[in-house]
Each structure stands twice: as structure tokens, then as C-alpha cells.
Amino acid sequence: MRIPGPRRVTGRLRPPGDKSVSHRALLLGALADGTSTISGLSDGDDVARTARAVSALGARIDGPRITGGRDRLHAPADVVDCGNSGTAIRLLAGVSASLPFRTVLDGDGSVRTRPMGRVTEPLAVMGARIDSDYAPLTIDGGGLHGIDYTPRVPSAQVKSAILLAGLGAEGDTVVREPVPTRAHTEELLALCGADIEVGPGVARVRASKLAPFALDIPGDPSQAAFWIVAACLAPGSDLTVAPIYVGPARTAFIDVLLRMGADLEIGPGTVRARYSALHPTDIGGAEVPGLIDEIPVLAVAAAMADGISVVRDAAELRVKESDRIEATVAMLQAFGVVAEPTADGLAVNGTGVLTGGGVVDSRGDHRIAMAAAVAGLVADGGVTIEGWESVATSYPGFEEDLRRCAS
Ligand code: S3P
């Protein structure tokens, strides 16, 4: 993929449906008794994998309608291939643990290297039989009991896997979070009438029959982030993205951009971004889970700010679709930026200049590819991105949006 630069971005853009919400809507649609209606699903391959998985488990998907219910679910005939999606495999592990049959979950080379112990351990304590801490996972589900659990890493995927398993467990299932993470599972469980209570730092669920629901999925703030940062960095830009999800632990990147001096106008589910000079910043602590997916593109913003920016407390980046600490640093270096990895983050020495004409390897990671595209839009001479096809996991329409908004 060749991104020509420099370009500005203008107009109005609707990002794809939120990926995190899409996975959960399909899973809960499969568990709810009856027919739910879901519009605005993410059109990426990750969510398509979850759709295929719930179909293999016996849910029926017909356009925007999904018909489910525990009684109609059965053992899948084949291995369930979650592709590149860590969210799909971890959330499906939680659902499968509660179903009284064997499910085998697998994924691509990246998913096979990602740690699954963070979900298999609590699910095993609940009573599931799982043969491994790495994909492929053979899960013999059913007969679960609730647990009171504090995940060892702040992770919405872990919290969600446990809560989803708790829907089919005897007694209370409690997840405690010292640092808050995205709350989509709790929000959607409430929407389908689950027996759930949510308080500060804690969610408690009991075995529940779920009612079918209607849901219009808002745009994905993590995909909007690429365009918002592009508009902040490219002189002459004026871009509005809407509608986007603006609930808990998803919009911390907006707070970071504001403290860097970005010119953002925020409305309900809407962000208008215009070019302005940015200052460096430090990112760390409790804000990290709320912007973990946006760090590669925020690092591009840091490279365009004058001075040193540091990201800390983000060791989780090392176990994403790629080692995103190393991949982000290498991406920035391809633009002539002085950046270095640390154990739990990175340091970027911003100069306000990105040198174009280079080549970036996405390392099979959609967010590295799209962050490199944003940098390429700002750099004189643009950039060539290898492994661009990874973008299809979350944002197949990225190129079309690029053609419409970049000039
Ligand atoms: C997600 C949670 C985050 C995030 C991922 C999606 C989710 O992962 O990075 O892209 O939908 O729950 P962790 O829960 O592992 O932090």
C-alpha cells in the first residue's frame, strides 16, 4: 500500500461499527432466547469470525437478525477458527466454558502466541476443563460455579470471559477491577435483562436467561482515532467523525490529545478535529487501559510534538496482535523519528517532522498499518506499507475513507 503525503483530511466520516460491541452483541444474541436485531456491526474479519463461531454453535444469523438460546446451541462440528482476533477467542472461551459440550478454539499464528492463561485459569477455577494456556484451546464446558476474581492484568477481555461464563454458573460470579476497563459486556448484559449488578470496580452476575434485544452499534472510537489524529497533524485539516461510542474506558485518547493542545470540538458521539501544533505528553497509570489500542497512533502524534513524550505502564502492548512496543518504535524509525522501546512502553523524541519515502512493515498488525498510514499522510513523500491486508481485520473500508477524505 502506498500512502501519498503530505495530504490534509477534510469532511465528515462515519467509522465502522464498534468492534468490541460487535463481538459481544453476537455472543449475547446467540445466548438470548429468541431473535435479536443488530445493526451497524463491524465489517472487519475479526467480527466475521465471531459471527461464524456462533453460527457453528447453532445460532442462526439472517441479515441483521440473530436467533439464539442456550437450548439450540450444540457442539460445533469443527474447530472454531478465530483468525487474528484475541477478543473473539477469549470471549468465546468464556461462553464455551458455560456450554455442556466440547468446543475447540483456534486462531492464526499471532493468536497462537498470545497468552490465554489469563482466561483459562479463572475459567478452570469455575470448573471448565481446558487443556492448554495457548490456542488451540479444547474446552469441555458446563457444570460451572461462580468465583470472586481479580484479574492479574486489567483486561476487558478477561473480565468479559468470566462474566459470560458466569451467565451459566451456579451462584454469584464477581469480577473486581482495581483499574477500570471498557464496560461493553456489563452494558449489553443489562440490555438483555441479565441478573447483573455493577458498582465501582466490581461487576457481579448470576445465571440468567437472556431476553432478545435490538441494538444499533455506534462507530468505533478506536478507528475514529486514526482520522482524528491525522486531522490534528496535517495542516489545513478539518474533519468530523460521528457517530462514535463514547462510554467508559474508550475515549482516553481524546483527553491525551486535548492535553497535547489538539483543536478538538467534542459533541455527543461527535468529534471535530482541526490541525494545531501539539506539545509532548506522558501517558501512563490508570488511563492506559482506556487508550491501549490507540497508542501506536498517539505515538505518531508524539513524533509531531516538539519534545519527548513517554508511554509507561503499557507492557500489555507486547502481547497484542504484534509486539506493539517494538512495532511502533520501528514504524516511527522508518520516518526518521528518534524513538526507543522500554520494558513497559516507549519514549518518542518529537521534532514535528516525519521523513517520508520509507517503508513500514505492519508485522501483520492492523493498528500498526493504519498508524503508519496516518504518519504517511503527514510526511513529505508519504510511505509504503507492507502487510497492508491486515487492515481488513478491523477496517476494510479504510482505503475508501482515505480516498474520500484525504486531498
Ligand atoms: C478489547 C479489549 C482490549 C483491547 C482489544 C479489545 C475488548 O484488550 O486491546 O482490542 O473488546 O474487550 P484487553 O482486554 O486484553 O486489554
Side-chain angles (χ1 to χ4, degrees), residues 343-365:
D344 66 348
L346 60 151
V348 181
N349 191 352
T351 58
V353 178
L354 296 174
T355 308
V359 178
V360 170
D361 177 1
S362 77
R363 304 188 182 196
D365 185 331

Side-chain angles (χ1 to χ4, degrees), residues 20 24 87 90 118 154-157 182 292-293 320 367:
S20 291
R24 289 157 171 86
T87 308
R90 293 196 178 114
R118 56 183 62 192
S155 164
Q157 294 177 356
R182 62 192 73 191
I292 190 78
D293 292 338
K320 293 295 181 187
R367 297 197 202 279

Side-chain angles (χ1 to χ4, degrees), residues 47-69:
V47 169
R49 300 286 175 161
T50 293
R52 253 178 268 160
V54 296
S55 301
L57 285 165
R60 203 180 75 220
I61 298 180
D62 178 15
R65 281 176 292 282
I66 173 164
T67 303

